[in-house]
Amino acid sequence: MEVKTRILICQGTSGISAGADHVAEAFRKELEIRGISDRYEVVRTGDRGLFRDVLVDLIPPDGHRWTYERVQVGDVPEIVEQHLVKGEPVRRLLVKEDYHRFFEGQLRWVLRNCGEIDPENIEEYISAGGYSALRKALLEMSPEEVIDEVMRSGLRGRGGAGFPTGLKWKLGREAPGDTRYVICNADEGDPGAFMDRSVLEGDPHSVIEGMLIAGYAVGASEGFIYCRAEYPLAIKRLRIALEQAKRRGFIGERILGTDFSFGITIKEGAGAFVCGEETALIASIEGFRGSPRPRPPFPAQKGLWGKPTVINNVETLANVPQIILKGADWFSSVGTGTSKGTKVFALAGKVKNTGLVEVPMGATLRDLIFGPGGGMARRGYGFKAVQIGGPSGGCLPEALLDTPIDYESITQTGAIMGSGGLIVLDESSCMVDMARFFLSFTMAESCGKCVPCRVGLARIFEVLDRITKGEGEEKDIEFLETMGNTIKETALCGLGKTAPNPVLTTIRYFRNEYEAHIREKVCPAGVCVPLLRFEVDEERCTKCGRCARVCPVKAISWQRGSYPVIDKGICIKCRACIVECPEHAIK
Amino acid sequence: MIRNNQSALRNFSFFAIRLPPFAISLLVFAQKCGIGGERLDFAFGYMVELEPRGEDQGVDESRIDVMELIEKHGRKRSDLIPILQEIQGAFGYIPRDVVELIAKELGIFPVEVYEILTFYAQFRLRPRGKFTIKVCLGTACHVMGGHDIFDYVSNKLEVQAGGTTKDGLFTLERVACLGCCGMAPVVVINDRVYGRQTIQSVDELLRRYSEASEGIGDGG
């Protein structure tokens, strides 16, 4: 059979929002019109992790990979005509150096198939080696051997807490009872994290295969995938994948001719951050409000409907097939003493390249941000902090950028590894405002069951809110620290225990900003609106007029060669001018 | 606020069951003493949110057969959330009549359904506008100016989060992360995702959507 040229088009949520589905359609039409569609295969893939509007790969039979970025529907005829027909690549659309830099230094184990295969076609997953780990586990290994392999690999939960996966399975298997469950936690609620979404959209079968192996190891016959409703595309692709796996006999009765039977049901979340906590997630599946309960008993002993339940995160499960296939030693050859394998991070914020980055454990934050991340996005704005671990994590300053990425080192800084959100902040971000932002989130998402979290977070938020309005008092910082530490010690679940982290770390590393807000009533970064005067600093202003152009209400009058003047009667304080000004000249 | 006001409470039928006056007094007393805690708080709080009986738009039977849906999912407690999700998918919100019907069919109190409806951010108790604008306020979007965009839209349309404009055209919602952090700040109108928004571009979006009599599905 003739090998076809593959045309890969990234169609994850990001790609589609940039019009990838239209581009794919345009390719199909164009090839049809020219009557050459039988020589090419247009493949829909998930996002590969770098957002460049629409990314298109052409892979001719010789295997060379031509990657085009920011392709629009109008470019398609040119690519087909020039590249496919005449064999001359369209240079202006080819990816540049920074694209390759993004992928160098990454170790893509979990993301190996993202952007490479069609997630809606099980055959592509199988030909990439898929389901052979399941075959190996079921036909050649006993459940105990599977657990032993995972334990020896050193795999730890990627959802944030870092509990050893093999041990969790062992506890689940040894708990008394004849019914057991496996749950895949795909309730990726951390704002700023999108690893799980990309894996589910780009490689759903790897998660399903991981779940099947987990089910076999623990002795479960039923599994649930609890996925956020905010991820409609991930849910759609999961459904398709489950259907295909069922048809191929990987899910259902007597899988691969063995005694092992397993069914998987998708449960859609309904928008509650706390449901990422495992006991709350269980309550939600049972049809109740997602309120956590005290542990022990741990879900592995008493979980869903009182039965032993093993809950693993998407990324954890996606790691499992390869551990079984390539062995524990292969997996543990990468990483640090206590953290093995790789970790996927969702890099976003003020860096050049935003996207998914998978690095070996032990790499430093600096490697990540200035390697694949490509450094800071805007000229004139230097690095200020990196926020790691979402609303449960913390903000780390430049001095800690050489912290190696492993569970213990990150925890020492006062942040947590978390699920892998990594938001880079530059000098235009206010740390008090960041703390206030996270607290407004966790306060709203607190389920209200325990007092420290329900009341304590609200008190912290009130104080932060006052500070950002210029009404802070000298004793506030001390209050925040005392209250934060009290909540950490007394809250019921992981949400409450970690919610004060953003406040405590910003006080620890950026105390001067708090003091500026409280004593001098200024926001050094120009973010807190009540502390801004909306006046032009004529010493800094270069009279470029960009502020006048972006003002949506035309409150800024400017003539070439003169300083702009802001009419405060018209100004709606939207900060568009402050954001636009390259010179930090509007205060 | 109507909360803690006996006479106003009587004007509502208390969750489908018409309670005798002494029962209402008892509930109000219990709430004042702090008995029943959150549960009652929610119950009272959200009664105010609901439209009083008679103003509800009622169930359009032609769109979806609620009974059939319940039949399809089963009557287990764990089916409650999926049933509600499907109903919201069909109506755009959860009509009051349906809450009472589901409670009856599943053998639970309506308040237990409201408990779910008010806990999970996804559910709406009132109809939405023609276009739902979701402004992402996740971390990445916040850093990239999502709040500025939210405030601008809120000012311009004169609605708060969760509110609908007077002309019924736009409903404004905040959402905590859509997982498109690479293209922050993100605005979603109905199901279309718009990345890398600025105040100017979102202004343009609003203009285009208000001008269009039919949905602009494939713009951007």
PDB file of all heavy atoms in Angstrom, chain A residues 17 191 197 228 269-271 284 287-290 354 433 437 549 575, chain B residues 38 77 85 115 119-122 137 139 142 148 176-177 179 182-183 200:
ATOM      1  N   SER A  17     -10.786  27.135  18.553  1.00  0.00           N
ATOM      2  CA  SER A  17     -11.174  28.536  18.744  1.00  0.00           C
ATOM      3  C   SER A  17     -10.458  29.431  17.756  1.00  0.00           C
ATOM      4  O   SER A  17     -10.927  30.511  17.426  1.00  0.00           O
ATOM      5  CB  SER A  17     -10.873  28.981  20.172  1.00  0.00           C
ATOM      6  OG  SER A  17      -9.507  29.302  20.282  1.00  0.00           O
ATOM      7  N   PRO A 191      -7.762  26.998  38.454  1.00  0.00           N
ATOM      8  CA  PRO A 191      -7.678  27.951  37.351  1.00  0.00           C
ATOM      9  C   PRO A 191      -6.224  28.091  36.915  1.00  0.00           C
ATOM     10  O   PRO A 191      -5.338  28.220  37.753  1.00  0.00           O
ATOM     11  CB  PRO A 191      -8.217  29.242  37.963  1.00  0.00           C
ATOM     12  CG  PRO A 191      -8.197  29.060  39.431  1.00  0.00           C
ATOM     13  CD  PRO A 191      -8.221  27.601  39.705  1.00  0.00           C
ATOM     14  N   ARG A 197      -7.027  18.472  30.528  1.00  0.00           N
ATOM     15  CA  ARG A 197      -7.874  18.707  29.366  1.00  0.00           C
ATOM     16  C   ARG A 197      -7.157  18.304  28.088  1.00  0.00           C
ATOM     17  O   ARG A 197      -7.712  17.610  27.239  1.00  0.00           O
ATOM     18  CB  ARG A 197      -8.265  20.189  29.263  1.00  0.00           C
ATOM     19  CG  ARG A 197      -9.026  20.500  28.006  1.00  0.00           C
ATOM     20  CD  ARG A 197      -9.419  21.964  27.892  1.00  0.00           C
ATOM     21  NE  ARG A 197      -8.307  22.874  27.706  1.00  0.00           N
ATOM     22  CZ  ARG A 197      -7.610  23.004  26.569  1.00  0.00           C
ATOM     23  NH1 ARG A 197      -7.925  22.279  25.519  1.00  0.00           N
ATOM     24  NH2 ARG A 197      -6.602  23.840  26.495  1.00  0.00           N
ATOM     25  N   ARG A 228     -14.871  17.593  34.427  1.00  0.00           N
ATOM     26  CA  ARG A 228     -15.504  18.916  34.504  1.00  0.00           C
ATOM     27  C   ARG A 228     -16.433  19.145  33.322  1.00  0.00           C
ATOM     28  O   ARG A 228     -16.087  18.861  32.176  1.00  0.00           O
ATOM     29  CB  ARG A 228     -14.464  20.022  34.366  1.00  0.00           C
ATOM     30  CG  ARG A 228     -13.538  20.222  35.458  1.00  0.00           C
ATOM     31  CD  ARG A 228     -12.647  21.391  35.101  1.00  0.00           C
ATOM     32  NE  ARG A 228     -13.252  22.659  35.489  1.00  0.00           N
ATOM     33  CZ  ARG A 228     -12.820  23.831  35.075  1.00  0.00           C
ATOM     34  NH1 ARG A 228     -11.839  23.912  34.232  1.00  0.00           N
ATOM     35  NH2 ARG A 228     -13.382  24.934  35.487  1.00  0.00           N
ATOM     36  N   GLY A 269     -19.017  16.677  35.928  1.00  0.00           N
ATOM     37  CA  GLY A 269     -19.078  17.569  37.081  1.00  0.00           C
ATOM     38  C   GLY A 269     -20.055  18.684  36.778  1.00  0.00           C
ATOM     39  O   GLY A 269     -20.518  18.848  35.655  1.00  0.00           O
ATOM     40  N   ALA A 270     -20.367  19.476  37.801  1.00  0.00           N
ATOM     41  CA  ALA A 270     -21.341  20.530  37.569  1.00  0.00           C
ATOM     42  C   ALA A 270     -20.801  21.885  38.015  1.00  0.00           C
ATOM     43  O   ALA A 270     -21.555  22.799  38.282  1.00  0.00           O
ATOM     44  CB  ALA A 270     -22.646  20.205  38.287  1.00  0.00           C
ATOM     45  N   GLY A 271     -19.474  21.982  38.056  1.00  0.00           N
ATOM     46  CA  GLY A 271     -18.891  23.278  38.367  1.00  0.00           C
ATOM     47  C   GLY A 271     -18.704  23.519  39.838  1.00  0.00           C
ATOM     48  O   GLY A 271     -19.376  24.369  40.419  1.00  0.00           O
ATOM     49  N   SER A 284     -20.239  13.828  45.179  1.00  0.00           N
ATOM     50  CA  SER A 284     -20.845  14.362  43.966  1.00  0.00           C
ATOM     51  C   SER A 284     -21.324  13.238  43.046  1.00  0.00           C
ATOM     52  O   SER A 284     -22.403  13.310  42.464  1.00  0.00           O
ATOM     53  CB  SER A 284     -19.845  15.259  43.247  1.00  0.00           C
ATOM     54  OG  SER A 284     -20.424  15.821  42.110  1.00  0.00           O
ATOM     55  N   GLY A 287     -24.500  11.859  44.048  1.00  0.00           N
ATOM     56  CA  GLY A 287     -25.653  12.710  43.801  1.00  0.00           C
ATOM     57  C   GLY A 287     -25.909  13.739  44.878  1.00  0.00           C
ATOM     58  O   GLY A 287     -27.006  14.272  44.986  1.00  0.00           O
ATOM     59  N   PHE A 288     -24.882  14.028  45.689  1.00  0.00           N
ATOM     60  CA  PHE A 288     -25.058  15.008  46.754  1.00  0.00           C
ATOM     61  C   PHE A 288     -24.205  16.240  46.482  1.00  0.00           C
ATOM     62  O   PHE A 288     -23.457  16.287  45.507  1.00  0.00           O
ATOM     63  CB  PHE A 288     -24.663  14.400  48.104  1.00  0.00           C
ATOM     64  CG  PHE A 288     -25.569  13.284  48.531  1.00  0.00           C
ATOM     65  CD1 PHE A 288     -25.293  11.972  48.176  1.00  0.00           C
ATOM     66  CD2 PHE A 288     -26.718  13.549  49.264  1.00  0.00           C
ATOM     67  CE1 PHE A 288     -26.152  10.940  48.551  1.00  0.00           C
ATOM     68  CE2 PHE A 288     -27.566  12.528  49.639  1.00  0.00           C
ATOM     69  CZ  PHE A 288     -27.284  11.216  49.282  1.00  0.00           C
ATOM     70  N   ARG A 289     -24.334  17.224  47.379  1.00  0.00           N
ATOM     71  CA  ARG A 289     -23.425  18.368  47.312  1.00  0.00           C
ATOM     72  C   ARG A 289     -22.011  17.874  47.556  1.00  0.00           C
ATOM     73  O   ARG A 289     -21.794  16.953  48.329  1.00  0.00           O
ATOM     74  CB  ARG A 289     -23.771  19.377  48.407  1.00  0.00           C
ATOM     75  CG  ARG A 289     -25.091  20.018  48.233  1.00  0.00           C
ATOM     76  CD  ARG A 289     -25.435  20.834  49.433  1.00  0.00           C
ATOM     77  NE  ARG A 289     -24.330  21.697  49.818  1.00  0.00           N
ATOM     78  CZ  ARG A 289     -24.490  22.841  50.463  1.00  0.00           C
ATOM     79  NH1 ARG A 289     -25.680  23.251  50.773  1.00  0.00           N
ATOM     80  NH2 ARG A 289     -23.455  23.570  50.795  1.00  0.00           N
ATOM     81  N   GLY A 290     -21.051  18.525  46.881  1.00  0.00           N
ATOM     82  CA  GLY A 290     -19.678  18.070  47.025  1.00  0.00           C
ATOM     83  C   GLY A 290     -19.039  18.581  48.301  1.00  0.00           C
ATOM     84  O   GLY A 290     -18.168  19.436  48.258  1.00  0.00           O
ATOM     85  N   THR A 354       3.315  30.173  25.696  1.00  0.00           N
ATOM     86  CA  THR A 354       2.436  29.582  26.690  1.00  0.00           C
ATOM     87  C   THR A 354       1.991  28.225  26.168  1.00  0.00           C
ATOM     88  O   THR A 354       1.767  28.057  24.983  1.00  0.00           O
ATOM     89  CB  THR A 354       1.198  30.449  26.935  1.00  0.00           C
ATOM     90  OG1 THR A 354       0.576  30.703  25.677  1.00  0.00           O
ATOM     91  CG2 THR A 354       1.571  31.756  27.588  1.00  0.00           C
ATOM     92  N   ASP A 433      -2.817  41.987  44.924  1.00  0.00           N
ATOM     93  CA  ASP A 433      -3.973  41.724  44.080  1.00  0.00           C
ATOM     94  C   ASP A 433      -4.060  40.233  43.734  1.00  0.00           C
ATOM     95  O   ASP A 433      -5.143  39.663  43.689  1.00  0.00           O
ATOM     96  CB  ASP A 433      -3.868  42.563  42.800  1.00  0.00           C
ATOM     97  CG  ASP A 433      -4.955  42.211  41.805  1.00  0.00           C
ATOM     98  OD1 ASP A 433      -6.117  42.520  42.098  1.00  0.00           O
ATOM     99  OD2 ASP A 433      -4.638  41.617  40.761  1.00  0.00           O
ATOM    100  N   PHE A 437      -7.056  37.868  44.568  1.00  0.00           N
ATOM    101  CA  PHE A 437      -7.723  37.094  43.515  1.00  0.00           C
ATOM    102  C   PHE A 437      -7.918  35.639  43.932  1.00  0.00           C
ATOM    103  O   PHE A 437      -9.007  35.079  43.825  1.00  0.00           O
ATOM    104  CB  PHE A 437      -6.904  37.166  42.224  1.00  0.00           C
ATOM    105  CG  PHE A 437      -7.261  36.093  41.240  1.00  0.00           C
ATOM    106  CD1 PHE A 437      -8.445  36.170  40.519  1.00  0.00           C
ATOM    107  CD2 PHE A 437      -6.441  34.997  41.054  1.00  0.00           C
ATOM    108  CE1 PHE A 437      -8.794  35.157  39.637  1.00  0.00           C
ATOM    109  CE2 PHE A 437      -6.782  33.992  40.171  1.00  0.00           C
ATOM    110  CZ  PHE A 437      -7.961  34.068  39.459  1.00  0.00           C
ATOM    111  N   ARG A 549      -5.027  55.911  21.819  1.00  0.00           N
ATOM    112  CA  ARG A 549      -5.628  55.014  20.827  1.00  0.00           C
ATOM    113  C   ARG A 549      -6.421  53.875  21.458  1.00  0.00           C
ATOM    114  O   ARG A 549      -7.403  53.418  20.905  1.00  0.00           O
ATOM    115  CB  ARG A 549      -4.544  54.458  19.896  1.00  0.00           C
ATOM    116  CG  ARG A 549      -4.157  55.433  18.796  1.00  0.00           C
ATOM    117  CD  ARG A 549      -3.372  54.743  17.700  1.00  0.00           C
ATOM    118  NE  ARG A 549      -2.023  54.366  18.125  1.00  0.00           N
ATOM    119  CZ  ARG A 549      -0.987  55.205  18.123  1.00  0.00           C
ATOM    120  NH1 ARG A 549      -1.144  56.448  17.727  1.00  0.00           N
ATOM    121  NH2 ARG A 549       0.200  54.785  18.511  1.00  0.00           N
ATOM    122  N   ARG A 575      -8.215  50.794  32.935  1.00  0.00           N
ATOM    123  CA  ARG A 575      -6.797  50.442  32.936  1.00  0.00           C
ATOM    124  C   ARG A 575      -6.241  50.078  31.566  1.00  0.00           C
ATOM    125  O   ARG A 575      -5.098  49.631  31.463  1.00  0.00           O
ATOM    126  CB  ARG A 575      -6.497  49.310  33.925  1.00  0.00           C
ATOM    127  CG  ARG A 575      -6.570  49.714  35.383  1.00  0.00           C
ATOM    128  CD  ARG A 575      -6.207  48.562  36.298  1.00  0.00           C
ATOM    129  NE  ARG A 575      -4.854  48.123  36.109  1.00  0.00           N
ATOM    130  CZ  ARG A 575      -4.494  46.972  35.559  1.00  0.00           C
ATOM    131  NH1 ARG A 575      -5.399  46.145  35.123  1.00  0.00           N
ATOM    132  NH2 ARG A 575      -3.238  46.660  35.426  1.00  0.00           N
TER     133      ARG A 575
ATOM    134  N   GLU B  38     -27.162  25.894  57.634  1.00  0.00           N
ATOM    135  CA  GLU B  38     -27.041  26.196  56.223  1.00  0.00           C
ATOM    136  C   GLU B  38     -28.237  25.776  55.390  1.00  0.00           C
ATOM    137  O   GLU B  38     -28.666  26.473  54.517  1.00  0.00           O
ATOM    138  CB  GLU B  38     -25.917  25.345  55.741  1.00  0.00           C
ATOM    139  CG  GLU B  38     -24.743  26.067  55.274  1.00  0.00           C
ATOM    140  CD  GLU B  38     -23.799  24.990  54.856  1.00  0.00           C
ATOM    141  OE1 GLU B  38     -23.078  24.498  55.718  1.00  0.00           O
ATOM    142  OE2 GLU B  38     -23.866  24.625  53.688  1.00  0.00           O
ATOM    143  N   ARG B  77     -30.563   8.164  43.500  1.00  0.00           N
ATOM    144  CA  ARG B  77     -30.071   9.465  43.925  1.00  0.00           C
ATOM    145  C   ARG B  77     -28.889   9.902  43.045  1.00  0.00           C
ATOM    146  O   ARG B  77     -28.738  11.067  42.711  1.00  0.00           O
ATOM    147  CB  ARG B  77     -29.634   9.373  45.396  1.00  0.00           C
ATOM    148  CG  ARG B  77     -29.010  10.620  45.959  1.00  0.00           C
ATOM    149  CD  ARG B  77     -30.039  11.720  46.077  1.00  0.00           C
ATOM    150  NE  ARG B  77     -29.401  13.008  46.129  1.00  0.00           N
ATOM    151  CZ  ARG B  77     -29.595  13.894  47.102  1.00  0.00           C
ATOM    152  NH1 ARG B  77     -30.428  13.649  48.076  1.00  0.00           N
ATOM    153  NH2 ARG B  77     -28.982  15.054  47.074  1.00  0.00           N
ATOM    154  N   GLN B  85     -28.696  18.105  34.622  1.00  0.00           N
ATOM    155  CA  GLN B  85     -27.839  18.622  33.547  1.00  0.00           C
ATOM    156  C   GLN B  85     -28.553  18.526  32.201  1.00  0.00           C
ATOM    157  O   GLN B  85     -28.507  19.444  31.391  1.00  0.00           O
ATOM    158  CB  GLN B  85     -26.523  17.845  33.502  1.00  0.00           C
ATOM    159  CG  GLN B  85     -25.555  18.301  34.574  1.00  0.00           C
ATOM    160  CD  GLN B  85     -24.347  17.409  34.706  1.00  0.00           C
ATOM    161  OE1 GLN B  85     -24.418  16.212  34.439  1.00  0.00           O
ATOM    162  NE2 GLN B  85     -23.239  17.969  35.148  1.00  0.00           N
ATOM    163  N   GLU B 115     -30.734  22.147  46.914  1.00  0.00           N
ATOM    164  CA  GLU B 115     -29.415  22.043  47.527  1.00  0.00           C
ATOM    165  C   GLU B 115     -28.354  21.825  46.444  1.00  0.00           C
ATOM    166  O   GLU B 115     -27.308  22.460  46.430  1.00  0.00           O
ATOM    167  CB  GLU B 115     -29.448  20.848  48.462  1.00  0.00           C
ATOM    168  CG  GLU B 115     -28.512  20.904  49.613  1.00  0.00           C
ATOM    169  CD  GLU B 115     -28.641  19.642  50.452  1.00  0.00           C
ATOM    170  OE1 GLU B 115     -28.635  18.531  49.892  1.00  0.00           O
ATOM    171  OE2 GLU B 115     -28.753  19.780  51.663  1.00  0.00           O
ATOM    172  N   PHE B 119     -25.625  24.631  44.942  1.00  0.00           N
ATOM    173  CA  PHE B 119     -24.227  24.325  45.263  1.00  0.00           C
ATOM    174  C   PHE B 119     -23.364  24.365  44.011  1.00  0.00           C
ATOM    175  O   PHE B 119     -22.263  24.913  44.018  1.00  0.00           O
ATOM    176  CB  PHE B 119     -24.135  22.943  45.911  1.00  0.00           C
ATOM    177  CG  PHE B 119     -22.738  22.578  46.335  1.00  0.00           C
ATOM    178  CD1 PHE B 119     -22.237  23.030  47.539  1.00  0.00           C
ATOM    179  CD2 PHE B 119     -21.930  21.788  45.526  1.00  0.00           C
ATOM    180  CE1 PHE B 119     -20.950  22.703  47.934  1.00  0.00           C
ATOM    181  CE2 PHE B 119     -20.648  21.458  45.917  1.00  0.00           C
ATOM    182  CZ  PHE B 119     -20.156  21.911  47.127  1.00  0.00           C
ATOM    183  N   TYR B 120     -23.834  23.779  42.940  1.00  0.00           N
ATOM    184  CA  TYR B 120     -23.025  23.664  41.731  1.00  0.00           C
ATOM    185  C   TYR B 120     -23.222  24.887  40.834  1.00  0.00           C
ATOM    186  O   TYR B 120     -24.352  25.280  40.545  1.00  0.00           O
ATOM    187  CB  TYR B 120     -23.380  22.381  40.984  1.00  0.00           C
ATOM    188  CG  TYR B 120     -22.978  21.139  41.745  1.00  0.00           C
ATOM    189  CD1 TYR B 120     -23.903  20.395  42.460  1.00  0.00           C
ATOM    190  CD2 TYR B 120     -21.654  20.740  41.787  1.00  0.00           C
ATOM    191  CE1 TYR B 120     -23.532  19.267  43.168  1.00  0.00           C
ATOM    192  CE2 TYR B 120     -21.265  19.620  42.495  1.00  0.00           C
ATOM    193  CZ  TYR B 120     -22.202  18.883  43.183  1.00  0.00           C
ATOM    194  OH  TYR B 120     -21.817  17.774  43.890  1.00  0.00           O
ATOM    195  N   ALA B 121     -22.107  25.417  40.407  1.00  0.00           N
ATOM    196  CA  ALA B 121     -22.138  26.683  39.666  1.00  0.00           C
ATOM    197  C   ALA B 121     -22.833  26.560  38.316  1.00  0.00           C
ATOM    198  O   ALA B 121     -23.294  27.540  37.752  1.00  0.00           O
ATOM    199  CB  ALA B 121     -20.710  27.180  39.460  1.00  0.00           C
ATOM    200  N   GLN B 122     -22.919  25.340  37.812  1.00  0.00           N
ATOM    201  CA  GLN B 122     -23.439  25.157  36.464  1.00  0.00           C
ATOM    202  C   GLN B 122     -24.933  25.482  36.342  1.00  0.00           C
ATOM    203  O   GLN B 122     -25.394  25.898  35.292  1.00  0.00           O
ATOM    204  CB  GLN B 122     -23.209  23.690  36.078  1.00  0.00           C
ATOM    205  CG  GLN B 122     -23.541  23.364  34.649  1.00  0.00           C
ATOM    206  CD  GLN B 122     -23.448  21.859  34.401  1.00  0.00           C
ATOM    207  OE1 GLN B 122     -23.556  21.050  35.318  1.00  0.00           O
ATOM    208  NE2 GLN B 122     -23.250  21.493  33.154  1.00  0.00           N
ATOM    209  N   LEU B 137     -12.209  34.177  34.369  1.00  0.00           N
ATOM    210  CA  LEU B 137     -11.451  34.859  35.414  1.00  0.00           C
ATOM    211  C   LEU B 137     -10.523  33.873  36.117  1.00  0.00           C
ATOM    212  O   LEU B 137     -10.324  33.931  37.325  1.00  0.00           O
ATOM    213  CB  LEU B 137     -12.409  35.526  36.406  1.00  0.00           C
ATOM    214  CG  LEU B 137     -13.311  36.594  35.771  1.00  0.00           C
ATOM    215  CD1 LEU B 137     -14.280  37.164  36.778  1.00  0.00           C
ATOM    216  CD2 LEU B 137     -12.486  37.720  35.178  1.00  0.00           C
ATOM    217  N   THR B 139      -6.703  32.150  36.666  1.00  0.00           N
ATOM    218  CA  THR B 139      -5.475  32.848  37.038  1.00  0.00           C
ATOM    219  C   THR B 139      -4.805  33.507  35.838  1.00  0.00           C
ATOM    220  O   THR B 139      -4.461  34.687  35.866  1.00  0.00           O
ATOM    221  CB  THR B 139      -4.483  31.865  37.667  1.00  0.00           C
ATOM    222  OG1 THR B 139      -5.194  31.016  38.527  1.00  0.00           O
ATOM    223  CG2 THR B 139      -3.426  32.618  38.441  1.00  0.00           C
ATOM    224  N   HIS B 142      -6.782  36.367  34.641  1.00  0.00           N
ATOM    225  CA  HIS B 142      -6.698  37.480  35.605  1.00  0.00           C
ATOM    226  C   HIS B 142      -5.406  38.265  35.385  1.00  0.00           C
ATOM    227  O   HIS B 142      -5.411  39.486  35.306  1.00  0.00           O
ATOM    228  CB  HIS B 142      -6.742  36.933  37.031  1.00  0.00           C
ATOM    229  CG  HIS B 142      -6.546  37.988  38.073  1.00  0.00           C
ATOM    230  ND1 HIS B 142      -7.530  38.887  38.395  1.00  0.00           N
ATOM    231  CD2 HIS B 142      -5.479  38.295  38.848  1.00  0.00           C
ATOM    232  CE1 HIS B 142      -7.082  39.701  39.330  1.00  0.00           C
ATOM    233  NE2 HIS B 142      -5.839  39.372  39.626  1.00  0.00           N
ATOM    234  N   ASP B 148     -10.379  43.304  34.041  1.00  0.00           N
ATOM    235  CA  ASP B 148     -10.639  44.582  33.378  1.00  0.00           C
ATOM    236  C   ASP B 148     -11.732  44.390  32.333  1.00  0.00           C
ATOM    237  O   ASP B 148     -12.617  45.224  32.171  1.00  0.00           O
ATOM    238  CB  ASP B 148      -9.366  45.107  32.697  1.00  0.00           C
ATOM    239  CG  ASP B 148      -8.275  45.421  33.719  1.00  0.00           C
ATOM    240  OD1 ASP B 148      -8.626  45.666  34.883  1.00  0.00           O
ATOM    241  OD2 ASP B 148      -7.091  45.413  33.339  1.00  0.00           O
ATOM    242  N   ALA B 176     -14.504  30.363  36.200  1.00  0.00           N
ATOM    243  CA  ALA B 176     -13.162  30.188  36.735  1.00  0.00           C
ATOM    244  C   ALA B 176     -12.403  29.191  35.894  1.00  0.00           C
ATOM    245  O   ALA B 176     -12.399  28.019  36.189  1.00  0.00           O
ATOM    246  CB  ALA B 176     -13.227  29.729  38.185  1.00  0.00           C
ATOM    247  N   CYS B 177     -11.814  29.647  34.857  1.00  0.00           N
ATOM    248  CA  CYS B 177     -10.927  28.863  34.006  1.00  0.00           C
ATOM    249  C   CYS B 177     -11.622  27.903  33.065  1.00  0.00           C
ATOM    250  O   CYS B 177     -12.362  27.018  33.461  1.00  0.00           O
ATOM    251  CB  CYS B 177      -9.897  28.054  34.797  1.00  0.00           C
ATOM    252  SG  CYS B 177      -8.523  27.578  33.743  1.00  0.00           S
ATOM    253  N   GLY B 179      -9.621  26.427  30.805  1.00  0.00           N
ATOM    254  CA  GLY B 179      -8.525  25.583  30.353  1.00  0.00           C
ATOM    255  C   GLY B 179      -7.916  26.035  29.035  1.00  0.00           C
ATOM    256  O   GLY B 179      -7.282  25.257  28.352  1.00  0.00           O
ATOM    257  N   GLY B 182      -3.509  29.393  27.478  1.00  0.00           N
ATOM    258  CA  GLY B 182      -2.510  29.847  26.516  1.00  0.00           C
ATOM    259  C   GLY B 182      -2.993  31.025  25.698  1.00  0.00           C
ATOM    260  O   GLY B 182      -2.204  31.724  25.081  1.00  0.00           O
ATOM    261  N   MET B 183      -4.304  31.233  25.663  1.00  0.00           N
ATOM    262  CA  MET B 183      -4.825  32.317  24.843  1.00  0.00           C
ATOM    263  C   MET B 183      -5.552  33.352  25.703  1.00  0.00           C
ATOM    264  O   MET B 183      -6.494  33.993  25.275  1.00  0.00           O
ATOM    265  CB  MET B 183      -5.732  31.770  23.745  1.00  0.00           C
ATOM    266  CG  MET B 183      -6.507  30.560  24.182  1.00  0.00           C
ATOM    267  SD  MET B 183      -7.132  29.672  22.792  1.00  0.00           S
ATOM    268  CE  MET B 183      -8.613  30.607  22.525  1.00  0.00           C
ATOM    269  N   GLN B 200     -10.902  46.713  23.591  1.00  0.00           N
ATOM    270  CA  GLN B 200     -11.373  47.112  22.258  1.00  0.00           C
ATOM    271  C   GLN B 200     -12.031  45.955  21.511  1.00  0.00           C
ATOM    272  O   GLN B 200     -13.077  46.097  20.913  1.00  0.00           O
ATOM    273  CB  GLN B 200     -10.200  47.635  21.433  1.00  0.00           C
ATOM    274  CG  GLN B 200      -9.790  49.038  21.819  1.00  0.00           C
ATOM    275  CD  GLN B 200      -8.507  49.435  21.139  1.00  0.00           C
ATOM    276  OE1 GLN B 200      -7.544  48.675  21.121  1.00  0.00           O
ATOM    277  NE2 GLN B 200      -8.498  50.627  20.570  1.00  0.00           N
TER     278      GLN B 200
END
